[in-house]
Each structure stands twice: as structure tokens, then as C-alpha cells.
Amino acid sequence: MPLNSLSLSPKILVTGATGFVGHFLCSYLIAKGLSVRGTFLSGESLDSLVKDVEAALIEPIGPTTPWDHVFDGIDTVIHLAARVHVMREKAADPLEEFRFVNTDGTAHLAREAAKAGVKRFVFMSTIGVNGDNSGNIPYSESSMPNPHNPYSVSKYEAEQLLHQISSETGMEVVTIRAPLVYGPGNPGNFLILLQIVSKSFQLPLASICNKRSIIYVGNLVDALVTCATHPRAAGQTYLVRDREDVSTPELIRCIASALHVTARLFPFPVTIMKLAGKLTGKSAAVNRLTGTLTVDSSKIRKELDWDPPFTMGEGLRETARWFNSL
């Protein structure tokens, strides 16, 4: 559905506005002429906010974070801020650390938003709520939740609390679960993948036969805005992805093409890769490379008439342009 045909809020609050997805989302909203307020922490520079975004200084998110000062004029919140995957986890109890921010912090924010009269709350969740291996049947909104790590557990618990808050207060809640997000500025595992492929290293990945759903950040923010503005989205959960799925070898070749380098893949037994992962404590990383995780996004397409505006090829080319400019 075209954005200009929707009933838009006078001002949207974006938490996590300085982050990877937040930066794209704020740019998108500003380009559409919307009024946006974005949160940032005291340790972050104001320059990290997109131009023309109204700054809202907040304390670190948790169950007692003060929010009163950020809701004036706001009737829609898009909540992106979270404690995300930690590459080198040092917390004695990681689940409690994730819950403090992602579960209790989100619930507190939602209650304060409802109290302030916010009409709709869009929550950025994760496909990890469904699990980490879909097998032959893609995950859908009706799939049994199976959060597989502390991060996804905290997100699933937040989803449940948000449904409760919505029923108690009448504030509309919409949840989006996304797989791996990529695009210019992407951090984490996808950036590592770009670095590896750019070197044209020989990679033992040719024997992998799997399928993965991923999503370009431009497609994700388009879905977020659709969920923030479409009347039929109220109370719903949606799974999103790019139009096409890819195997790991296909993704490597697509990235290499976008980077204008040669993909050098050779066959290697997947069973040995998995065994090596167990012996080295890298099973999760190996599973991401070899496992299948696909998403059925038909619900949001049918109910909200949403279609990803970018192809995977376009998304990877934009990502490659950014990477090559570093």
C-alpha cells in the first residue's frame, strides 16, 4: 500500500534511532515529510541522529527508565532499541541481562507510552522467537514459538507482555519478527561475511545445500512504517523477508558479484564442518552457515498489501557500495 494513502501519525518516536536500522528508519520517515523524535544516550553524539530528527536524551533502557519527557505529541512508537547479540558475552547471567533491557525495559516503555496516550506501539522482535532452523517448512506466524538463545527468549517474553499491556490499556501493539538484516552500515556477522568475501578467500562452502531468508534494511523499514500506519495491522504479528531465499553458496556468490570479486568455493563435507563446530564451541556459527531458516511472509503481503520495494540484488549492491567506500 502506498505510504501516502495511509493515516500517518503527527509525530513518531523511534527508540534506537542512532542504530543501524534506526538510522535508516528515521531517514525514511523524514524523507516522507513526517515529524520524528529519536532517542539517544548520553554517551552518543547528537551527530549520530539523522538530520531533522528531534533529539530525545534518555537513560539506558530498563524497568525504571524515565520516559515522561519523550511522549509529548507522540501517538506512535517504533521500538527498535534492544540489547542485541553480544559477540563476546561477559555477563554472569546473560538471560537476566537481556531480560532487563528487552523484556522488562520494553514492558515499562509500553506502559508509560499507553499512560501518555500513545495509540500504537510497533515492536521490533526477531525470527529467533520461532527458532534457529525451520527445516522444510518455513516459519509463519502460526508456528510454535521456540526461542533458542537468551536474546530470543527475552524478545518472546516481551511480546507476551506487550499483548497483555495492549489488552489492559487498549494501546495497539504490532510485532515484526525479522531474520538477518543487511544493508549499508550493517554490523556483526554480515559485516564479517563481507570482509571475508572481499578477500576472495577459498571457502569450504560449496557442498552446503540449504535455504536462508534475509531482509534488506530498506525493506525492513518499509514494513515497519506500514505496520505503524496501516489500520489492519493493529494487534498483529508479522514475519518479513526479502522476496527470495538463498542458499549459503548462492549468497556468497551474490555478495562477491556485488563486490566485483571472485567467489572461490570448494566442496567440503558438511558433517565434518558440524563436528568441527562442536569441538571448537562454534556450533551456532556453523549452524548459521549450514542450516535452513526460511520465513513465510504471506500474511503481511495479503493483509497489508505489503511488498518489499527492493530486490535482494539491489540491497546487496547498495551494501557493497557502502563497504567498498570504507
Side-chain angles (χ1 to χ4, degrees), residues 6-197:
L6 303 176
S7 175
L8 298 172
S9 65
K11 183 170 287 186
I12 296 176
L13 175 69
V14 177
T15 72
T18 61
F20 166 47
V21 177
H23 190 274
F24 270 84
L25 175 60
C26 290
S27 296
Y28 184 102
L29 293 169
I30 292 295
K32 296 298 181 181
L34 300 181
S35 181
V36 184
R37 185 175 297 153
T39 67
F40 75 107
L41 300 172
S42 59
E44 297 175 315
S45 168
L46 269 175
D47 294 338
S48 58
L49 285 172
V50 171
K51 184 182 178 183
D52 296 326
V53 170
E54 181 184 339
L57 178 64
I58 63 166
E59 296 177 10
I61 293 178
T64 60
T65 304
W67 289 103
D68 294 350
H69 63 293
V70 303
F71 291 125
D72 183 35
I74 298 293
D75 76 353
T76 300
V77 172
I78 303 180
H79 182 40
L80 306 177
R83 185 180 197 262
V84 297
H85 302 287
V86 180
M87 300 295 283
R88 292 181 176 85
E89 182 62 76
K90 296 180 180 179
D93 189 341
L95 179 55
E96 286 307 305
E97 293 292 329
F98 280 111
R99 280 174 169 157
F100 185 86
V101 178
N102 300 346
T103 306
D104 300 333
T106 294
H108 175 62
L109 167 62
R111 290 190 183 97
E112 293 298 297
K115 190 187 306 181
V118 170
K119 295 180 176 65
R120 182 168 291 190
F121 189 99
V122 180
F123 179 55
M124 184 73 245
S125 190
T126 171
I127 197 60
V129 166
N130 291 92
D132 64 348
N133 194 317
S134 63
N136 295 327
I137 302 175
Y139 289 134
S140 70
E141 293 80 2
S142 61
S143 299
M144 184 69 68
N146 184 30
H148 65 284
N149 58 18
Y151 171 69
S152 56
V153 168
S154 70
K155 286 288 190 174
Y156 179 52
E157 291 174 348
E159 289 185 20
Q160 294 174 301
L161 286 174
L162 287 173
H163 285 303
Q164 178 182 332
I165 293 167
S166 178
S167 66
E168 293 170 352
T169 66
M171 182 176 67
E172 298 171 351
V173 169
V174 190
T175 297
I176 284 189
R177 296 178 189 164
L180 176 68
V181 184
Y182 67 96
N186 47 207
N189 290 322
F190 205 88
L191 176 58
I192 294 172
L193 186 59
L194 287 168
Q195 293 167 339
I196 292 171
V197 175

Side-chain angles (χ1 to χ4, degrees), residues 192-311:
I192 294 172
L193 186 59
L194 287 168
Q195 293 167 339
I196 292 171
V197 175
S198 70
K199 303 296 184 183
S200 290
F201 291 139
Q202 289 196 3
L203 302 173
L205 306 176
S207 300
I208 296 173
C209 184
N210 68 342
K211 286 292 181 182
R212 305 290 295 191
S213 293
I214 58 178
I215 187 165
Y216 176 54
V217 66
N219 291 333
L220 176 59
V221 301
D222 191 78
L224 284 164
V225 174
T226 299
C227 287
T229 56
H230 200 298
R232 292 188 64 187
Q236 299 299 315
T237 295
Y238 294 107
L239 275 58
V240 294
R241 66 176 179 93
D242 282 346
R243 296 172 195 166
E244 58 268 75
D245 298 325
V246 288
S247 68
T248 297
E250 288 169 343
L251 179 59
I252 297 294
R253 294 186 183 103
C254 289
I255 292 173
S257 175
L259 291 171
H260 303 295
V261 298
T262 300
R264 303 175 67 190
L265 307 179
F266 64 91
F268 190 83
V270 174
T271 53
I272 296 180
M273 290 179 62
K274 291 182 177 179
L275 176 61
K278 289 181 181 179
L279 294 175
T280 59
K282 302 292 184 182
S283 288
V286 172
N287 288 339
R288 283 193 293 270
L289 287 172
T290 62
T292 288
L293 196 165
T294 56
V295 169
D296 177 357
S297 60
S298 60
K299 179 181 175 182
I300 190 172
R301 292 168 185 255
K302 292 176 182 177
E303 292 187 357
L304 307 187
D305 195 27
W306 179 77
D307 192 53
F310 301 96
T311 66

